[in-house]
Protein backbone atom coordinates (compact mmCIF):
# COMPACT_ATOMS: atom_id res chain seq x y z
CA UNK A 1 0.00 0.00 0.00
CA UNK A 2 1.47 3.39 -0.86
CA UNK A 3 2.36 5.66 2.02
CA UNK A 4 0.57 8.92 2.49
CA UNK A 5 1.84 12.11 4.03
CA UNK A 6 -0.14 13.51 6.97
CA UNK A 7 -1.63 16.89 6.13
CA UNK A 8 -1.17 17.96 9.75
CA UNK A 9 2.35 16.88 10.51
CA UNK A 10 4.03 16.25 7.18
CA UNK A 11 5.16 12.85 8.47
CA UNK A 12 4.47 9.75 6.42
CA UNK A 13 1.93 7.31 7.72
CA UNK A 14 3.16 3.79 8.24
CA UNK A 15 1.42 0.88 6.48
CA UNK A 16 -0.43 0.22 9.71
CA UNK A 17 -1.78 3.77 9.79
CA UNK A 18 -2.14 4.42 6.09
CA UNK A 19 -5.54 4.54 4.48
CA UNK A 20 -5.88 4.51 0.71
CA UNK A 21 -7.08 7.48 -1.26
CA UNK A 22 -9.00 5.05 -3.44
CA UNK A 23 -9.99 1.41 -3.14
CA UNK A 24 -11.06 -0.27 -6.33
CA UNK A 25 -12.18 -3.88 -6.50
CA UNK A 26 -8.72 -5.05 -7.55
CA UNK A 27 -6.99 -3.29 -4.69
CA UNK A 28 -9.52 -4.62 -2.18
CA UNK A 29 -8.46 -8.12 -3.08
CA UNK A 30 -4.89 -7.25 -2.14
CA UNK A 31 -5.69 -5.33 1.05
CA UNK A 32 -6.16 -8.16 3.54
CA UNK A 33 -6.02 -6.36 6.87
CA UNK A 34 -6.97 -2.96 8.17
CA UNK A 35 -4.88 -3.21 11.28
CA UNK A 36 -1.71 -5.11 12.03
CA UNK A 37 1.61 -5.07 13.76
CA UNK A 38 4.02 -4.43 10.92
CA UNK A 39 6.93 -2.25 11.77
CA UNK A 40 7.93 0.40 9.25
CA UNK A 41 11.40 0.25 7.76
CA UNK A 42 13.45 2.95 6.08
CA UNK A 43 12.99 3.02 2.32
CA UNK A 44 15.18 5.95 1.36
CA UNK A 45 18.95 6.06 1.18
CA UNK A 46 20.47 7.08 4.49
CA UNK A 47 23.58 9.28 4.44
CA UNK A 48 26.57 7.95 6.38
CA UNK A 49 26.77 8.92 10.03
CA UNK A 50 29.44 11.43 10.93
CA UNK A 51 32.61 10.36 12.73
CA UNK A 52 31.82 9.09 16.24
CA UNK A 53 32.65 11.13 19.32
CA UNK A 54 36.16 10.87 20.76
CA UNK A 55 34.94 8.81 23.73
CA UNK A 56 33.43 5.52 22.47
CA UNK A 57 30.89 3.58 24.48
CA UNK A 58 32.53 0.82 26.50
CA UNK A 59 31.23 -2.69 25.76
CA UNK A 60 29.18 -4.25 28.55
CA UNK A 61 30.64 -7.39 30.06
CA UNK A 62 30.17 -10.67 28.22
CA UNK A 63 26.88 -12.39 28.97
CA UNK A 64 24.96 -9.20 29.81
CA UNK A 65 21.28 -9.86 29.17
CA UNK A 66 19.76 -8.15 26.17
CA UNK A 67 16.99 -6.76 28.40
CA UNK A 68 19.64 -4.68 30.17
CA UNK A 69 20.87 -3.05 26.97
CA UNK A 70 19.19 0.04 25.54
CA UNK A 71 20.49 1.85 22.48
CA UNK A 72 20.69 5.66 22.75
CA UNK A 73 17.99 6.17 20.11
CA UNK A 74 15.43 4.41 22.31
CA UNK A 75 14.98 7.61 24.33
CA UNK A 76 13.13 8.94 21.27
CA UNK A 77 10.79 5.95 20.97
CA UNK A 78 7.71 4.67 22.71
CA UNK A 79 8.35 1.64 24.87
CA UNK A 80 6.99 -1.72 23.71
CA UNK A 81 4.13 -1.48 26.21
CA UNK A 82 3.28 2.08 25.18
CA UNK A 83 3.24 1.05 21.51
CA UNK A 84 0.73 -1.70 22.26
CA UNK A 85 -1.38 0.73 24.29
CA UNK A 86 -1.44 3.29 21.48
CA UNK A 87 -2.43 0.51 19.07
CA UNK A 88 -5.39 -0.25 21.31
CA UNK A 89 -6.36 3.41 21.59
CA UNK A 90 -6.42 3.71 17.80
CA UNK A 91 -8.72 0.67 17.56
CA UNK A 92 -10.93 2.04 20.36
CA UNK A 93 -11.23 5.44 18.66
CA UNK A 94 -12.09 3.73 15.38
CA UNK A 95 -14.79 1.66 17.09
CA UNK A 96 -16.24 4.74 18.79
CA UNK A 97 -16.47 6.52 15.45
CA UNK A 98 -18.14 3.55 13.77
CA UNK A 99 -20.81 3.52 16.49
CA UNK A 100 -21.83 7.04 15.50
CA UNK A 101 -22.88 5.59 12.17
CA UNK A 102 -24.65 2.60 13.71
CA UNK A 103 -21.89 0.19 12.72
CA UNK A 104 -19.93 -2.34 14.76
CA UNK A 105 -16.16 -2.54 14.83
CA UNK A 106 -14.51 -5.10 17.13
CA UNK A 107 -12.23 -3.61 19.78
CA UNK A 108 -10.07 -5.98 21.87
CA UNK A 109 -9.78 -5.75 25.64
CA UNK A 110 -7.65 -2.91 26.94
CA UNK A 111 -4.03 -4.09 27.37
CA UNK A 112 -2.58 -3.93 30.87
CA UNK A 113 1.00 -3.07 31.86
CA UNK A 114 1.72 -6.75 32.54
CA UNK A 115 -0.16 -8.12 29.55
CA UNK A 116 1.15 -9.23 26.16
CA UNK A 117 2.50 -5.74 25.50
CA UNK A 118 5.06 -6.20 28.24
CA UNK A 119 6.61 -8.99 26.18
CA UNK A 120 6.21 -7.40 22.77
CA UNK A 121 9.04 -7.15 20.29
CA UNK A 122 11.57 -4.52 21.28
CA UNK A 123 14.33 -2.82 19.31
CA UNK A 124 17.06 -4.95 20.90
CA UNK A 125 15.30 -8.31 20.62
CA UNK A 126 17.46 -10.44 18.28
CA UNK A 127 19.00 -7.31 16.75
CA UNK A 128 22.34 -9.11 16.78
CA UNK A 129 20.89 -12.59 16.51
CA UNK A 130 19.79 -14.97 19.24
CA UNK A 131 21.31 -14.15 22.64
CA UNK A 132 19.26 -15.91 25.33
CA UNK A 133 20.76 -19.21 26.49
CA UNK A 134 17.58 -20.50 28.16
CA UNK A 135 15.48 -19.75 25.08
CA UNK A 136 18.06 -21.39 22.81
CA UNK A 137 18.08 -24.55 24.93
CA UNK A 138 14.28 -24.78 24.85
CA UNK A 139 13.27 -23.26 21.53
CA UNK A 140 16.38 -23.18 19.35
CA UNK A 141 15.90 -20.32 16.91
CA UNK A 142 12.11 -20.54 17.19
CA UNK A 143 10.27 -17.74 18.95
CA UNK A 144 9.35 -18.84 22.50
CA UNK A 145 5.75 -19.90 23.05
CA UNK A 146 3.59 -19.42 26.14
CA UNK A 147 4.09 -22.11 28.77
CA UNK A 148 0.33 -22.57 29.13
CA UNK A 149 -2.40 -22.49 26.55
CA UNK A 150 -2.82 -18.81 25.59
CA UNK A 151 -6.14 -17.09 25.22
CA UNK A 152 -7.62 -17.02 21.75
CA UNK A 153 -5.53 -14.58 19.73
CA UNK A 154 -7.01 -11.31 18.61
CA UNK A 155 -8.26 -11.62 15.07
CA UNK A 156 -7.42 -8.63 12.86
CA UNK A 157 -10.30 -7.02 11.04
CA UNK A 158 -10.42 -8.36 7.49
CA UNK A 159 -11.44 -5.45 5.28
CA UNK A 160 -12.67 -7.58 2.40
CA UNK A 161 -14.98 -9.47 4.80
CA UNK A 162 -16.69 -6.28 5.97
CA UNK A 163 -19.96 -5.11 4.38
CA UNK A 164 -19.58 -2.36 1.81
CA UNK A 165 -21.31 0.13 4.13
CA UNK A 166 -18.82 -0.57 6.92
CA UNK A 167 -15.89 -0.22 4.51
CA UNK A 168 -17.23 3.16 3.41
CA UNK A 169 -17.50 4.50 6.96
CA UNK A 170 -14.18 2.99 7.97
CA UNK A 171 -12.07 4.44 5.15
CA UNK A 172 -14.19 7.31 3.82
CA UNK A 173 -14.28 5.95 0.28
CA UNK A 174 -16.66 4.01 -1.92
CA UNK A 175 -15.18 0.48 -1.98
CA UNK A 176 -16.51 -0.23 -5.47
CA UNK A 177 -15.35 2.97 -7.16
CA UNK A 178 -12.55 4.11 -4.88
CA UNK A 179 -13.99 7.62 -4.80
CA UNK A 180 -14.13 9.89 -1.76
CA UNK A 181 -17.37 9.77 0.26
CA UNK A 182 -18.28 12.85 2.29
CA UNK A 183 -21.41 11.62 4.08
CA UNK A 184 -22.95 8.41 5.33
CA UNK A 185 -26.68 8.07 6.08
CA UNK A 186 -27.04 11.82 6.28
CA UNK A 187 -24.06 12.34 8.60
CA UNK A 188 -20.84 14.02 7.51
CA UNK A 189 -18.01 11.56 6.96
CA UNK A 190 -14.58 13.18 7.45
CA UNK A 191 -11.63 12.47 5.21
CA UNK A 192 -10.01 9.18 6.10
CA UNK A 193 -13.20 7.81 7.62
CA UNK A 194 -13.26 6.31 11.08
CA UNK A 195 -9.82 4.80 10.74
CA UNK A 196 -8.39 8.32 11.00
CA UNK A 197 -10.43 9.19 14.10
CA UNK A 198 -7.51 9.27 16.49
CA UNK A 199 -5.51 11.49 14.13
CA UNK A 200 -8.33 14.05 14.21
CA UNK A 201 -8.82 14.20 17.98
CA UNK A 202 -5.11 13.92 18.78
CA UNK A 203 -2.96 15.02 15.81
CA UNK A 204 0.19 14.33 17.84
CA UNK A 205 -0.59 10.60 17.68
CA UNK A 206 0.20 10.56 13.97
CA UNK A 207 3.57 8.84 13.82
CA UNK A 208 5.31 5.57 13.32
CA UNK A 209 4.45 2.44 15.28
CA UNK A 210 6.96 3.39 17.98
CA UNK A 211 6.37 7.11 18.15
CA UNK A 212 7.06 10.29 16.15
CA UNK A 213 10.04 10.18 13.85
CA UNK A 214 9.70 6.42 13.43
CA UNK A 215 7.88 6.48 10.11
CA UNK A 216 9.63 5.44 6.90
CA UNK A 217 11.02 8.95 6.37
CA UNK A 218 11.57 9.81 10.03
CA UNK A 219 14.89 10.81 11.56
CA UNK A 220 14.65 8.15 14.26
CA UNK A 221 14.14 5.42 11.67
CA UNK A 222 17.06 6.76 9.64
CA UNK A 223 19.39 6.65 12.63
CA UNK A 224 18.28 3.15 13.65
CA UNK A 225 18.84 1.86 10.14
CA UNK A 226 22.13 3.63 9.42
CA UNK A 227 23.73 2.81 12.78
CA UNK A 228 22.96 -0.89 12.40
CA UNK A 229 24.27 -1.05 8.84
CA UNK A 230 27.46 0.87 9.61
CA UNK A 231 28.12 -0.97 12.87
CA UNK A 232 28.68 -4.17 10.93
CA UNK A 233 31.78 -2.61 9.35
CA UNK A 234 33.30 -1.26 12.57
CA UNK A 235 36.69 -3.02 13.01
CA UNK A 236 35.88 -4.20 16.53
CA UNK A 237 32.62 -5.76 15.32
CA UNK A 238 34.36 -7.35 12.32
CA UNK A 239 36.97 -8.87 14.63
CA UNK A 240 34.37 -10.09 17.15
CA UNK A 241 32.31 -11.61 14.34
CA UNK A 242 35.37 -13.43 13.02
CA UNK A 243 36.01 -14.75 16.52
CA UNK A 244 32.41 -15.96 16.71
CA UNK A 245 32.80 -17.70 13.32
CA UNK A 246 35.93 -19.47 14.56
CA UNK A 247 34.19 -20.46 17.78
CA UNK A 248 31.27 -21.93 15.84
CA UNK A 249 33.65 -23.84 13.56
CA UNK A 250 35.17 -25.37 16.67
CA UNK A 251 31.69 -26.63 17.53
CA UNK A 252 31.19 -28.09 14.06
CA UNK A 253 29.12 -25.27 12.55
CA UNK A 254 30.45 -23.40 9.49
CA UNK A 255 28.35 -20.20 9.52
CA UNK A 256 29.91 -16.97 8.19
CA UNK A 257 27.23 -14.57 9.47
CA UNK A 258 25.52 -14.73 12.89
CA UNK A 259 22.42 -13.02 11.51
CA UNK A 260 21.97 -15.82 8.96
CA UNK A 261 22.38 -18.65 11.45
CA UNK A 262 18.65 -19.48 11.67
CA UNK A 263 18.50 -19.92 7.89
CA UNK A 264 21.05 -22.73 8.08
CA UNK A 265 18.77 -25.10 10.01
CA UNK A 266 16.07 -27.16 8.32
CA UNK A 267 13.47 -27.12 11.09
CA UNK A 268 12.60 -23.40 11.20
CA UNK A 269 9.27 -23.99 9.48
CA UNK A 270 8.38 -26.84 11.81
CA UNK A 271 6.13 -26.17 14.83
CA UNK A 272 8.91 -27.14 17.22
CA UNK A 273 12.71 -27.06 16.98
CA UNK A 274 14.69 -30.18 16.21
CA UNK A 275 17.62 -31.53 18.20
CA UNK A 276 20.16 -30.25 15.66
CA UNK A 277 18.59 -26.79 15.70
CA UNK A 278 18.76 -26.58 19.48
CA UNK A 279 22.39 -27.74 19.48
CA UNK A 280 23.35 -25.05 16.99
CA UNK A 281 21.40 -22.32 18.80
CA UNK A 282 23.01 -23.22 22.13
CA UNK A 283 26.47 -23.08 20.51
CA UNK A 284 25.52 -19.77 18.85
CA UNK A 285 24.70 -18.09 22.17
CA UNK A 286 27.68 -19.60 23.95
CA UNK A 287 30.06 -18.36 21.25
CA UNK A 288 28.52 -14.88 21.46
CA UNK A 289 29.18 -14.92 25.21
CA UNK A 290 32.75 -16.20 24.80
CA UNK A 291 33.62 -13.55 22.21
CA UNK A 292 31.36 -10.83 23.70
CA UNK A 293 30.10 -10.23 20.18
CA UNK A 294 26.79 -8.85 21.47
CA UNK A 295 28.44 -6.43 23.88
CA UNK A 296 31.00 -5.20 21.34
CA UNK A 297 28.36 -4.79 18.66
CA UNK A 298 26.04 -2.94 21.04
CA UNK A 299 28.83 -0.57 22.13
CA UNK A 300 29.87 0.14 18.54
CA UNK A 301 26.33 0.86 17.42
CA UNK A 302 25.71 3.00 20.51
CA UNK A 303 28.78 5.08 19.66
CA UNK A 304 27.51 5.62 16.12
CA UNK A 305 24.07 6.55 17.40
CA UNK A 306 25.48 9.07 19.86
CA UNK A 307 27.27 10.76 16.97
CA UNK A 308 24.10 10.80 14.89
CA UNK A 309 22.02 12.12 17.79
CA UNK A 310 24.47 14.99 18.24
CA UNK A 311 24.40 15.70 14.52
CA UNK A 312 20.58 15.78 14.40
CA UNK A 313 20.04 17.40 17.80
CA UNK A 314 17.62 20.04 16.50
CA UNK A 315 15.37 17.58 14.69
CA UNK A 316 15.44 15.15 17.60
CA UNK A 317 14.50 17.89 20.04
CA UNK A 318 11.26 18.26 18.12
CA UNK A 319 10.77 14.49 18.09
CA UNK A 320 11.29 14.35 21.87
CA UNK A 321 8.77 17.13 22.46
CA UNK A 322 6.18 15.30 20.34
CA UNK A 323 6.96 12.03 22.07
CA UNK A 324 6.55 13.57 25.52
CA UNK A 325 3.21 15.00 24.41
CA UNK A 326 2.05 11.60 23.19
CA UNK A 327 3.11 9.86 26.38
CA UNK A 328 1.38 12.56 28.44
CA UNK A 329 -1.84 11.98 26.51
CA UNK A 330 -1.65 8.21 26.72
CA UNK A 331 -3.09 8.05 30.25
CA UNK A 332 -6.10 10.16 29.27
CA UNK A 333 -6.65 8.08 26.15
CA UNK A 334 -6.53 4.81 28.07
CA UNK A 335 -9.02 6.06 30.67
CA UNK A 336 -11.43 7.64 28.20
CA UNK A 337 -14.81 5.93 27.86
CA UNK A 338 -14.62 4.96 24.21
CA UNK A 339 -18.11 3.46 24.32
CA UNK A 340 -19.37 7.07 24.33
CA UNK A 341 -19.16 9.40 21.33
CA UNK A 342 -15.67 10.60 20.53
CA UNK A 343 -15.06 14.14 21.85
CA UNK A 344 -13.91 16.93 19.60
CA UNK A 345 -10.48 16.87 21.26
CA UNK A 346 -8.65 15.03 24.02
Amino acid sequence: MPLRRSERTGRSRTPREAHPAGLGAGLLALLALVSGCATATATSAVPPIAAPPTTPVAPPKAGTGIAELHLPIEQYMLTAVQSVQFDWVRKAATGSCMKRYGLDYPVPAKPGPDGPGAHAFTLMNRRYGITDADSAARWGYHLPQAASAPAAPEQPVALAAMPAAAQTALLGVDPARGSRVTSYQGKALPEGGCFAELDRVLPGAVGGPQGPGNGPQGVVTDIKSASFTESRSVPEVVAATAAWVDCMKGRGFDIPDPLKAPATVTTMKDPAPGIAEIAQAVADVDCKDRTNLTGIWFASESTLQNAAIAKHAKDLAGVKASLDSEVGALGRLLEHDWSSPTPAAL
Side-chain angles (χ1 to χ4, degrees):
M1 181 187 298
L3 299 175
R4 180 182 178 188
R5 300 286 288 181
S6 166
E7 288 80 2
R8 289 184 181 83
T9 65
R11 292 197 297 271
S12 293
R13 297 176 186 271
T14 66
R16 187 179 63 190
E17 297 170 322
H19 50 80
L23 285 174
L27 183 56
L28 277 176
L30 298 176
L31 184 60
L33 303 177
V34 167
S35 136
C37 301
T39 301
T41 56
T43 57
S44 58
V46 179
I49 294 174
T54 54
T55 304
V57 174
K61 66 180 181 180
T64 300
I66 205 72
E68 301 177 48
L69 304 179
H70 297 282
L71 287 165
I73 199 63
E74 291 187 61
Q75 64 188 300
Y76 301 100
M77 298 165 55
L78 293 171
T79 67
V81 173
Q82 289 169 341
S83 295
V84 171
Q85 290 172 334
F86 259 110
D87 270 347
W88 179 84
V89 166
R90 184 172 295 283
K91 294 183 179 83
T94 300
S96 177
C97 174
M98 294 287 277
K99 284 183 179 179
R100 292 204 304 269
Y101 299 98
L103 298 167
D104 291 328
Y105 183 87
V107 178
K110 183 190 303 185
D114 298 321
H119 309 288
F121 184 86
T122 64
L123 179 61
M124 287 300 299
N125 188 26
R126 300 199 179 191
R127 189 170 182 84
Y128 312 129
I130 189 172
T131 57
D132 185 85
D134 292 337
S135 176
R138 174 66 180 86
W139 297 104
Y141 291 105
H142 280 61
L143 292 177
Q145 303 297 316
S148 57
E154 173 195 342
Q155 296 299 316
V157 179
L159 180 62
M162 297 176 68
Q167 293 181 32
T168 297
L170 183 66
L171 298 175
V173 298
D174 184 324
R177 298 181 178 85
S179 55
R180 168 89 165 86
V181 177
T182 58
S183 65
Y184 178 82
Q185 293 189 346
K187 296 181 180 180
L189 187 61
E191 183 179 2
C194 286
F195 196 54
E197 184 77 349
L198 185 62
D199 302 339
R200 289 188 289 269
V201 299
L202 190 72
V206 182
Q210 292 175 302
N214 278 268
Q217 296 176 339
V219 62
V220 176
T221 292
D222 285 351
I223 291 173
K224 286 187 296 185
S225 175
S227 66
F228 178 77
T229 299
E230 294 185 34
S231 68
R232 301 196 70 182
S233 299
V234 171
E236 291 81 0
V237 176
V238 172
T241 300
W244 176 88
V245 171
D246 289 341
C247 178
M248 290 294 283
K249 284 182 179 178
R251 305 293 182 86
F253 303 103
D254 188 5
I255 305 171
D257 185 346
L259 298 183
K260 296 180 180 179
T264 64
V265 298
T266 61
T267 52
M268 283 303 296
K269 293 184 178 180
D270 296 343
I275 295 175
E277 176 186 338
I278 290 176
Q280 179 178 309
V282 168
D284 185 340
V285 174
D286 185 61
C287 285
K288 284 193 176 83
D289 288 346
R290 288 175 180 273
T291 61
N292 200 16
L293 172 59
T294 300
I296 292 170
W297 202 338
F298 167 81
S300 297
E301 186 173 13
S302 295
T303 300
L304 287 166
Q305 285 193 0
N306 282 336
I309 288 170
K311 181 180 179 180
H312 298 282
K314 184 177 180 179
D315 290 338
L316 289 171
V319 169
K320 190 66 166 65
S322 297
L323 179 66
D324 290 345
S325 177
E326 283 195 22
V327 172
L330 182 57
R332 301 195 305 274
L333 294 169
L334 289 170
E335 295 304 319
H336 176 69
D337 180 10
W338 290 104
S339 62
S340 61
T342 309
L346 287 173

